């Protein structure tokens, strides 16, 4: 298993656009099991259709070269090796959770310190314990800071400054509103929490606020400058929060991936053994829907054999995509094509 992001930086045209819309839908949003089934179905269809393109008949190849044993024997080694890799992944993930009592206490103290920093900044007595609700309150706190900033500009004489602040606040509210809508019913463990966290382009908003202050430092009143600083400080808290929940989601997904592969491996090995031990050129004579029955059987066996590998791919694709698109925390952009629109 973002602003990572991607795309328009304003609100939710945003949502779908900032995160790539259709371009990244397969990589990020679609259910991993649906994508796995689609990939396996596509492979199965290709293998079956290949029997119509005038190549050597499969039954003749099996009879002359014992092709099934050669094909499915390789799967056994690959599946066993893959299972060993899964065990290694589990060990790496779990090793981060192991430590002496002092280390665990430090983790607790740091988590509580960060939570208290957020609460003091967004004026909450106790922030919610659930990740989605916590991010919701943090984004709402950013909105509140933006409202305070806009209210401070009511008597401002610099018309250009007032317009910039108004545009800045409007953009903030639009983006924050779409993110809050997505977080409202999101449950950690699904991708929805991380998806909406990635949709909040906090880095661009930090940059815009600092640019406004740099361009209008002389015009800003002391009170307005203080409100702008407060907005920036609240935005700066969103970065560590998002990265923390991203890390937790990665661990969650890697554990789910490991369990899924372990569950799939034994059935896949069993099917490979059946194909090697009991299927030869004389198996299932005849045809169905114009396709040799041996082609149906071999194609199905091949799909089962690659199932663990496909599951591994679709899970890692999402994780790798998010990781690549969130390499930089803060007001930095790594993709030239989104330099002006997506800084966060």
């Amino acid at each position: 298993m973002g602003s990572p992001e991607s795309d328009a930086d304003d609100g939710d045209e945003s949502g779908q656009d900032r995160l790539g819309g259709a371009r990244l839908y397969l990589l990020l949003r679609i259910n991993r099991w649906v994508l796995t089934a689609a990939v396996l179905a596509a492979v199965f269809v290709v293998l079956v259709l290949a029997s119509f393109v005038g190549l050597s008949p499969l039954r003749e190849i099996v009879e002359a070269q014992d092709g099934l044993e050669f094909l499915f024997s390789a799967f056994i080694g690959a599946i066993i090796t893959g299972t060993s890799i899964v065990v290694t992944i589990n060990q790496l993930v779990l090793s981060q959770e192991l430590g002496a009592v002092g280390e665990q206490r430090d983790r607790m103290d740091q988590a509580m310190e960060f939570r208290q920093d957020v609460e003091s900044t967004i004026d909450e007595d106790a922030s919610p314990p659930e990740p989605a609700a916590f991010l919701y309150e943090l984004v709402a706190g950013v909105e509140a800071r933006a409202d305070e900033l806009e209210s401070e500009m009511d008597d401002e004489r610099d018309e250009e400054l007032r317009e910039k602040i108004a545009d800045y606040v409007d953009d903030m509210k639009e983006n924050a509103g779409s993110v809050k809508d997505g977080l409202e019913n999101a449950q950690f463990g699904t991708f929805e929490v991380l998806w909406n966290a990635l949709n909040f382009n906090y880095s661009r908003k930090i940059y815009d606020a600092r640019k406004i202050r740099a361009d209008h430092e002389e015009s800003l009143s002391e009170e307005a400058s203080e409100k702008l600083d407060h907005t920036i400080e609240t935005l700066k808290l969103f970065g560590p929060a998002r990265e923390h929940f991203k890390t937790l989601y990665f661990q969650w997904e890697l554990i789910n991936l490991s369990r899924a592969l372990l569950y799939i491996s034994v059935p896949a090995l069993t099917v490979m053994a059946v194909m090697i031990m009991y299927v030869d050129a004389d198996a299932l004579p005849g045809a169905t829907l114009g396709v040799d029955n041996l082609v149906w059987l071999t194609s199905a066996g091949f799909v089962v054999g690659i199932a663990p590998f496909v599951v591994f791919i679709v899970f890692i694709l999402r994780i790798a995509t998010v990781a690549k698109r969130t390499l930089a925390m803060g007001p930095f952009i790594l993709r030239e094509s989104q330099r002006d629109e997506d800084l966060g």
Side-chain angles (χ1 to χ4, degrees):
M1 66 181 200
S3 7
E5 297 195 59
S6 26
D7 318 53
D9 82 349
D10 47 307
D12 196 341
E13 237 169 341
S14 153
Q16 200 75 353
D17 292 337
R18 286 195 72 250
L19 299 179
R23 181 170 58 87
L24 288 181
Y25 181 77
L26 290 179
L27 292 175
L28 294 176
R29 297 221 66 183
I30 189 171
N31 181 279
R32 297 297 92 182
W33 295 111
V34 171
L35 181 57
T36 298
V39 172
L40 293 176
V43 172
F44 181 79
V45 170
V46 169
L47 292 175
V48 172
L49 292 180
S51 65
F52 290 101
V53 298
L55 302 174
S56 299
L58 176 63
R59 199 173 290 273
E60 293 181 9
I61 296 175
V62 173
E63 185 175 5
Q65 304 176 12
D66 200 13
L68 291 185
E69 182 176 353
F70 175 79
L71 173 64
F72 291 106
S73 295
F75 277 122
I76 292 180
I79 293 172
I80 293 175
T81 301
T83 304
S84 301
I85 294 175
V86 169
V87 173
T88 303
I89 292 174
N90 259 325
Q91 289 175 335
L92 290 173
V93 173
L94 293 176
S95 67
Q96 301 180 40
E97 304 303 315
L98 305 177
V101 64
E103 296 176 0
Q104 301 295 344
R105 187 169 184 177
D106 287 341
R107 291 177 61 186
M108 172 63 79
D109 290 343
Q110 291 172 12
M112 291 302 300
E113 182 180 353
F114 177 73
R115 184 177 289 274
Q116 290 166 1
D117 288 343
V118 171
E119 291 165 352
S120 62
T121 304
I122 64 175
D123 299 328
E124 288 285 341
D125 294 331
S127 53
E130 299 86 0
F134 182 87
L135 290 174
Y136 183 99
E137 291 299 330
L138 184 51
V139 173
V142 172
E143 269 191 307
R145 300 293 82 80
D147 284 334
E148 293 173 1
L149 174 62
E150 187 175 37
S151 298
E152 195 63 44
M153 304 304 296
D154 288 344
D155 299 326
E156 176 59 50
R157 296 180 179 180
D158 188 331
E159 188 65 27
E160 181 183 358
L161 175 58
R162 291 181 61 183
E163 290 180 1
K164 284 188 176 181
I165 293 293
D167 291 342
Y168 177 73
V169 172
D170 288 344
D171 175 72
M172 179 87 76
K173 288 182 176 181
E174 186 177 0
N175 190 195
S178 67
V179 170
K180 285 165 53 182
D181 289 343
L183 288 172
E184 194 164 359
N185 297 312
Q187 177 64 45
F188 188 80
T190 67
F191 188 62
E192 289 305 307
V193 175
L194 187 57
W195 170 264
N196 286 285
L198 297 178
N199 184 35
F200 189 63
N201 56 346
Y202 74 98
S203 296
R204 176 59 187 255
K205 290 170 174 54
I206 291 175
Y207 169 80
D208 287 343
R210 297 180 70 242
K211 190 71 166 60
I212 289 173
R213 183 170 57 189
D215 292 344
H216 300 274
E217 188 171 5
E218 295 181 358
S219 300
L220 281 170
S221 65
E222 182 177 346
E223 292 77 9
S225 181
E226 181 180 339
K227 298 299 183 183
L228 198 58
D229 287 340
H230 200 178
T231 301
I232 294 173
E233 290 303 314
T234 308
L235 286 166
K236 285 166 62 177
L237 291 172
F238 189 87
R242 189 188 74 176
E243 293 304 303
H244 176 62
F245 293 133
K246 183 185 77 173
T247 300
L248 292 179
Y249 177 79
F250 283 178
Q251 292 177 326
W252 183 289
E253 281 291 88
L254 288 174
I255 291 172
N256 285 339
L257 170 61
S258 300
R259 293 173 61 184
L261 290 181
L262 291 173
Y263 292 152
I264 294 172
S265 295
V266 173
L269 285 171
T270 303
V271 172
M272 298 305 98
V274 169
M275 296 298 297
I276 294 171
M277 294 170 61
Y278 299 109
V279 179
D280 59 15
D282 298 324
L284 297 177
T288 302
L289 300 178
V291 178
D292 192 318
N293 289 331
L294 186 60
V295 172
W296 291 111
L297 180 60
T298 304
S299 300
F302 184 88
V303 165
V304 173
I306 67 171
F309 180 63
V310 173
V311 170
F312 184 83
I313 287 177
V314 298
F315 273 81
I316 294 301
L317 266 178
R318 175 187 277 173
I319 293 173
T321 300
V322 172
K324 180 180 179 181
R325 302 178 74 85
T326 56
L327 288 175
M329 183 174 72
F332 297 96
I333 180 66
L334 304 182
R335 295 181 309 288
E336 182 177 359
S337 62
Q338 298 297 331
R339 180 168 302 177
D340 293 332
E341 295 85 5
D342 180 23
L343 295 178

